[in-house]
Amino acid sequence: MKKLILVLLCFMLTGCLEQKYIERIGMITAVGYDLGNQNKIKGTTVAFQFDPTRQNVSQMLTSEANTSKGIREAMNRETSHHLVSGQLRVSLYGEELARRGIYTFVDTLARDASVGTMSYLAVASPEAASILSAENLSITTNVGTYLYRLLEQNIKSEQTISSTLHEFLKTYYEVGMDPILPMISLMNEKKVTIEGMALFNEDKMVGVLTPEESFYLKLIREHFKSGSIEMELPREVMKEALVEKKGDESVFITIDNIKSTSDISVKNKKSPDFNVDIKMEARLLEVSEELVSDQQITTRVLEKAIKHTIKSETKKLIEILKEKESDPAGFGITYKSTFDKSDLSNEQWRSLYQKMNLTTAITVSVISIGVMD
């Protein structure tokens, strides 16, 4: 009798499932949102369609509505394949829309159980639709998959700060920290590139950091495991290690295998005054001018110059962040936890943030200078 009941239950449960045939569905791999006409939202979707007789079959759909779900309904009326979001990899938000606020669109994704929290979010410049238009890109694979791999590769190589759906919502809801997303743009209408990081004040975009500025932000808020960067060092500081004492004002180097740690602490409750202790080691990969053969001199001068540049650039970065009223480094979280300010509001922290002073303690070790070792 028990076995019979179990068999009957299995049949009943099976009958409750909605059957979806892969040949009849369009698997959305990327979506984009822009401002449309008459305050509507223009949505662009790239959907993969399974066809055993063809390869890389994808369709781009564009519709306008007042909500993201309304856009999906309009798109379903334009295709023979039922659109599903279980394979969504990337969500793009046009720059103009991002400056107005993107929370409602991100919240809709979070409420969709079929969308993974590890899908990437990014800001598109100038519009998401122009980037998702397959005919404008010199790529052969599905656009959604390509953008996902582009972001994933740069995040893994530590060129870009990670920007998943989970990470955006975590920083959005956290008092004392603001989200940050990659800024993707088109080069010559043929190639997509990550041109920097978009700064947010809560859910509204307020500015853009260059890749170099993004490096110093990551240096403050995270740990590098194997990063790299091209740095501009002042000639005056580098003079002792250069064969040619006269020349351009700047010397350029590329360092890689960067390993770093960062510790943020706050010592003054009223100002507030923060200390950032950065320890970094790296390998010299390339230099724009000839160095003297004395390795001890070269290493000592390089470490001094790199330390000088990091201190100068982090100071400039903090001024930019304060001007934009954006705290992607999470100084507010440190302040809140240090002084047990569980009731701290965003408005209170914005006011304190403008008074913030930052002192940096930097330790740099150049562990290798290439063929001179």
Side-chain angles (χ1 to χ4, degrees):
M1 181 61 70
K2 289 181 179 179
K3 290 180 180 179
L4 179 61
I5 292 172
L6 286 173
V7 171
L8 290 173
L9 285 173
C10 288
F11 278 112
M12 291 172 66
L13 290 172
T14 304
C16 296
L17 295 176
E18 180 184 359
Q19 294 184 348
K20 293 182 179 179
Y21 299 96
I22 192 169
E23 296 88 352
R24 299 179 186 177
I25 63 175
M27 295 182 289
I28 297 174
T29 57
V31 295
Y33 300 102
D34 299 296
L35 284 179
N37 298 319
Q38 300 177 345
N39 291 324
K40 288 188 175 184
I41 304 302
K42 180 173 72 173
T44 306
T45 292
V46 177
F48 176 80
Q49 300 169 355
F50 179 78
D51 187 339
T53 64
R54 300 166 62 189
Q55 291 184 342
N56 297 327
V57 181
S58 61
Q59 181 181 17
M60 190 189 76
L61 300 167
T62 301
S63 294
E64 290 192 10
N66 295 299
T67 64
S68 59
K69 294 303 182 185
I71 291 171
R72 175 80 65 84
E73 291 176 1
M75 288 179 178
N76 267 313
R77 293 194 291 268
E78 300 173 10
T79 178
S80 59
H81 290 69
H82 180 67
L83 298 176
V84 295
S85 52
Q87 293 297 313
L88 181 65
R89 294 289 181 262
V90 178
S91 298
L92 298 180
Y93 306 94
E95 184 174 351
E96 189 177 358
L97 178 66
R99 291 188 181 276
R100 293 195 178 191
I102 62 173
Y103 170 73
T104 56
F105 306 100
V106 178
D107 181 61
T108 299
L109 290 180
R111 292 175 186 276
D112 190 338
S114 64
V115 176
T117 57
M118 299 307 291
S119 59
Y120 291 125
L121 310 183
V123 175
S125 176
E127 287 190 336
S130 60
I131 291 177
L132 294 178
S133 300
E135 62 269 20
N136 290 340
L137 301 179
S138 56
I139 60 175
T140 56
T141 187
N142 180 279
V143 179
T145 303
Y146 177 82
L147 291 174
Y148 176 81
R149 290 174 180 170
L150 172 72
L151 290 166
E152 183 182 48
Q153 181 271 132
N154 279 275
I155 289 168
K156 285 185 175 180
S157 62
E158 300 185 283
Q159 297 296 313
T160 301
I161 296 173
S162 185
S163 60
T164 63
L165 171 61
H166 169 75
E167 288 163 333
F168 181 93
L169 289 172
K170 180 182 177 181
T171 51
Y172 173 78
Y173 287 118
E174 183 74 70
V175 174
M177 192 171 188
D178 290 302
I180 187 168
L181 296 180
M183 172 75 84
I184 297 179
S185 63
L186 274 176
M187 292 179 62
N188 302 320
E189 296 186 350
K190 291 184 179 180
K191 294 182 179 179
V192 290
T193 181
I194 301 174
E195 67 173 53
M197 299 296 296
L199 293 172
F200 281 78
N201 179 318
E202 297 185 16
D203 73 324
K204 295 179 177 63
M205 177 183 162
V206 292
V208 181
L209 295 181
T210 66
E212 292 75 21
E213 291 166 341
S214 303
F215 169 82
Y216 295 107
L217 174 60
K218 184 175 175 68
L219 195 64
I220 291 173
R221 64 175 251 168
E222 298 180 13
H223 296 177
F224 274 99
K225 296 179 180 178
S226 185
S228 63
I229 189 175
E230 180 185 271
M231 299 184 75
E232 181 179 357
L233 307 179
R235 188 179 200 86
E236 190 62 32
V237 182
M238 282 289 297
K239 185 183 294 185
E240 187 182 355
L242 298 176
V243 173
E244 294 291 335
K245 305 302 180 183
K246 295 182 179 180
D248 297 333
E249 293 183 0
S250 299
V251 177
F252 295 90
I253 66 168
T254 299
I255 55 176
D256 72 344
N257 201 29
I258 297 172
K259 294 179 175 61
S260 73
T261 60
S262 174
D263 180 58
I264 301 175
S265 59
V266 57
K267 58 181 181 180
N268 191 317
K269 186 176 182 179
K270 294 182 179 180
S271 294
D273 294 334
F274 285 86
N275 290 327
V276 177
D277 185 12
I278 298 173
K279 293 181 173 62
M280 186 181 87
E281 64 176 39
R283 177 182 66 173
L284 177 66
L285 191 63
E286 187 177 353
V287 61
S288 62
E289 296 197 25
E290 186 179 356
L291 302 176
V292 298
S293 57
D294 191 317
Q295 181 179 320
Q296 288 186 340
I297 293 176
T298 302
T299 302
R300 173 173 55 81
V301 172
L302 272 171
E303 290 174 349
K304 179 182 177 182
I306 293 171
K307 179 179 176 179
H308 177 276
T309 298
I310 292 175
K311 188 178 287 286
S312 173
E313 294 301 320
T314 51
K315 183 178 180 180
K316 293 177 185 176
L317 172 65
I318 295 302
E319 292 305 314
I320 293 172
L321 298 180
K322 288 168 67 176
E323 179 188 351
K324 301 298 183 182
E325 297 186 359
S326 178
D327 181 13
F331 289 106
I333 293 177
T334 302
Y335 178 83
K336 186 173 62 173
S337 61
T338 302
F339 298 113
D340 192 22
K341 292 282 188 177
S342 57
D343 59 344
L344 184 72
S345 68
N346 274 317
E347 292 73 21
Q348 290 172 326
W349 172 240
R350 300 289 177 205
S351 178
L352 287 167
Y353 191 48
Q354 296 304 311
K355 305 173 186 177
M356 184 186 81
N357 295 309
L358 183 68
T359 302
T360 54
I362 302 166
T363 303
V364 176
S365 298
V366 178
I367 57 175
S368 172
I369 51 176
V371 295
M372 297 180 65
D373 280 354

